[in-house]
Amino acid sequence: MAGTNARTGGRVRSEEARDAVLTAAAELVEEAGYGELTMEGVAARAGVAKSTLYRWWKTRPALVMDAYGPALARRMPEPDTGGVATDLVAFVEQLYRVVEHPFRVNALRGLMAEAQLDPSFAVRFEEWAQTRRAVVAGLLRRGVERGELAPDLDLEYAVDLVFGPFWYRLLVGHAPLDPADAEPHVRRLLGGLAATA
Amino acid sequence: MAGTNARTGGRVRSEEARDAVLTAAAELVEEAGYGELTMEGVAARAGVAKSTLYRWWKTRPALVMDAYGPALARRMPEPDTGGVATDLVAFVEQLYRVVEHPFRVNALRGLMAEAQLDPSFAVRFEEWAQTRRAVVAGLLRRGVERGELAPDLDLEYAVDLVFGPFWYRLLVGHAPLDPADAEPHVRRLLGGLAATA
Amino acid sequence: MAGTNARTGGRVRSEEARDAVLTAAAELVEEAGYGELTMEGVAARAGVAKSTLYRWWKTRPALVMDAYGPALARRMPEPDTGGVATDLVAFVEQLYRVVEHPFRVNALRGLMAEAQLDPSFAVRFEEWAQTRRAVVAGLLRRGVERGELAPDLDLEYAVDLVFGPFWYRLLVGHAPLDPADAEPHVRRLLGGLAATA
Amino acid sequence: MAGTNARTGGRVRSEEARDAVLTAAAELVEEAGYGELTMEGVAARAGVAKSTLYRWWKTRPALVMDAYGPALARRMPEPDTGGVATDLVAFVEQLYRVVEHPFRVNALRGLMAEAQLDPSFAVRFEEWAQTRRAVVAGLLRRGVERGELAPDLDLEYAVDLVFGPFWYRLLVGHAPLDPADAEPHVRRLLGGLAATA
DNA sequence: TCGTAAGCGAGACGGTACGTCGCGTCTTGTG
DNA sequence: CACAAGACGCGACGTACCGTCTCGCTTACGA
């Protein structure tokens, strides 16, 4: 009665195969980079038929999303320390800490690239990005409610000010991302660029 | 004396072929998007041999860079109105105006994607990005000198605050870019997020 | 006591499924030709599980054999009119009449093809062919006994002279098979090619 | 001016590759049989790219036709000894001699099978068969002109009487083909089945 | 003015990966 | 047991582009 999906008959999906695929995909991204990852290669390393791959993951980015998405999302706590400054610093520090896992950086960059090249994937990618944005948006909203932030704040743009520079550095590589910069960056963000004197 | 490189004969490069290629590349990006652009396709449309293509452009992004680079770089004046606020608004407005040329957006996104997938191109792309960053950096530096901006400003990060959100919106597509937003965005940037009361 | 084979329970075979499969197979041969028939396709059209198919028919030709074998064998009376000429004409006419059922032609050609590609099926196919040869052989043997045919007749080759041209036309398609040709063909066969004058 | 095909530019076709492919195809038919031959396998053995294979041979039978056609055609002399009996015996003997090359038998059977399964190939196959039929038809026509054969001879059917039993035995395998049988077979063909007494 | 040294279109070449299809086997229910 | 469902490993399919490589032809310079 309360059955979620009404399967009747049919061999059950092999968790073994699923795990092997996700592991293989993760390993290949780590070793050779997202650009070098091929469906063929994943299937071979996982000891799995290509048809099985395509049965469950229609495209390459969908696969990597599944292999990396959880790992990437896990590291996304919603800090709630009572002050927007400390909340933001905590979040941004965690954000910048991705550089401590170069292969995750690789995956992130690859997924972002794919989203540019494949419109159908772009949709899924944006959805994922929205889940991350929601965290920061919530955090900022609390700051507004507490009167810590400008009441006329454009939340959308404010969130962009957090993620934008992060992605920009990640993608262009002109400057390093350093967790130690989280605090000064947030301070600047809150205080603005203009001279206070 | 005049010729620096010591050519001693040989057919001269065909400007006709060069133009046909760049036109074809631009058209293909416009019509089908950067992701669909292939060297094979460009050669076919341009009525040019593949060997000619590869003689002058080693890779796909190098080609698109040539086809769009000028257009992308041209519209990047260094405003100098005497005030950092007006300078910034002028620049950012111009920046956001790229959305009025959807195919340029397409090209920008494609080049960014390629930079993620092809490390050797990443270098060229970063160089190009630096030329754009230099404009903003100069503009901000003048602001500091004039005492309009905080004297301890981290120029690098400040530039990221201008370009970061721009690219982030361009790439993720969660929110539109609107030249009309240039002024409020800059105002927020200068004033910071914190409540002024 | 009544049952010869000692089945001790278990669901009984579904005649419904059997019929659905044979019908589907026949239809597919008719519609798309033997070459396009697949086990997968038959199962799908019959609304039957692949496992059921394989339980009862090991191979594609075995299936088609079951679907068409009866129809092909049925119309093969052993005429016995008292004269070899009339017997032969009756048989050959009946043989040529297969062209009135194009899908049976299709099945015959497909089975012949399969016999060339699958050695294990070739055995079954030859057995089937032998049952048909036996009819003609018997008919001819009676002719020899009655003194109508050459006493030193090579029966094997004589039978080949009946079936050979039939199959050859069926398979190569260079000339039509026409039941009306049965009589002249038999006359020529009996009289030989050499001038009688 | 008299140029047969007006090629202008383009790398010339590699005879090396062509030969490697035809050799590989021939070897594979010999070793494993026509049914086991795959485009993939031929390409691998020939050390040639699959794309090269498909560039020149659209289908598997087209390839085997090219690999075996010449060999099969070479052995097809047009005997002209002055008498239809000796002409026929010479031809038929040569025909039956194919059994001395089991792999050619394999190829012939495979091609015949393919012609049944692939309508588009059937056309090419019939054309090839016609070239062989023409030889026998010519031979018989001379016999008619010389008064050796019945003047009202149905040439088409007469040719079928030569090839039909040959193919029938080749395909069904119920009886061996023996070059030594050529003479008696032809004798029977000319004299007919009916008792001469 | 003529030879040499490019550039050019054409297009074949060896490759790699693509995404699909059908195979025959298997593992689940349920009847 | 039979059966529907359907996932699985497998192998070949035919296609698309890749980047490289001959070809024969066409320019332009400079000796």
Side-chain angles (χ1 to χ4, degrees), chain B:
Chain B
M1 197 211 273
T4 44
N5 52 347
R7 288 193 62 262
T8 48
R11 184 174 176 172
V12 81
R13 177 170 184 186
S14 158
E15 280 305 317
E16 206 173 333
R18 194 189 117 91
D19 291 350
V21 167
L22 295 181
T23 302
E27 287 173 0
L28 284 171
V29 169
E30 292 179 32
E31 291 172 20
Y34 181 91
E36 302 303 313
L37 182 148
T38 64
M39 297 299 259
E40 202 101 358
V42 172
R45 170 172 306 221
V48 143
K50 267 203 293 177
S51 53
T52 300
L53 227 64
Y54 281 103
R55 198 182 339 269
W56 303 110
W57 299 274
K58 297 303 176 200
T59 64
R60 179 170 73 150
L63 170 55
V64 176
M65 200 73 149
D66 249 33
Y68 274 95
L72 297 173
R74 198 177 307 127
R75 291 285 191 166
M76 212 175 42
E78 180 154 1
D80 192 355
T81 60
V84 77
T86 45
D87 279 4
L88 265 181
V89 169
F91 184 91
V92 171
E93 194 182 315
Q94 196 61 49
L95 194 60
Y96 289 8
R97 240 188 252 291
V98 77
V99 297
E100 294 166 3
H101 307 277
F103 46 91
R104 284 193 200 159
V105 171
N106 216 328
L108 279 178
R109 295 177 61 189
L111 290 170
M112 179 61 98
E114 200 72 48
Q116 308 313 308
L117 302 173
D118 178 351
S120 80
F121 175 65
V123 178
R124 287 197 55 187
F125 185 75
E126 194 209 320
E127 288 170 5
W128 174 77
Q130 287 291 12
T131 64
R132 315 195 77 196
R133 293 177 56 76
V135 175
V136 174
L139 181 158
L140 293 174
R141 196 174 295 111
R142 288 199 303 276
V144 174
E145 287 162 2
R146 280 191 298 255
E148 296 173 297
L149 300 183
D152 63 339
L153 195 62
D154 176 349
L155 259 187
E156 204 72 25
Y157 180 61
V159 173
D160 291 351
L161 282 171
V162 173
F163 284 109
F166 164 75
W167 274 105
Y168 184 55
R169 289 203 173 181
L170 208 66
L171 299 172
V172 177
H174 59 289
L177 278 168
D178 184 349
D181 287 337
E183 195 276 333
H185 282 183
V186 167
R187 187 151 28 91
R188 185 97 276 158
L189 217 47
L190 294 173
L193 305 178
T196 47

Side-chain angles (χ1 to χ4, degrees), chain C residues 109 116 126 130 133 148 150 152 157 160 163 167-169 171-172 174 185 188-195, chain D residues 109 116 126 130 133 148 150 152 157 160 163 167-169 171 174 185 188-195:
Chain C
R109 294 177 62 190
Q116 308 313 308
E126 194 208 321
Q130 287 291 10
R133 294 176 54 77
E148 296 173 298
D152 63 340
Y157 181 61
D160 290 351
F163 283 109
W167 273 106
Y168 184 55
R169 288 202 174 182
L171 298 172
V172 177
H174 59 287
H185 282 182
R188 184 98 277 158
L189 216 48
L190 293 173
L193 306 178
Chain D
R109 294 178 61 190
Q116 309 313 309
E126 195 210 316
Q130 286 291 13
R133 293 176 55 77
E148 296 174 297
D152 63 341
Y157 180 60
D160 290 352
F163 283 110
W167 273 105
Y168 184 55
R169 289 202 172 181
L171 299 172
H174 60 287
H185 282 180
R188 184 95 280 158
L189 217 48
L190 293 173
L193 306 177

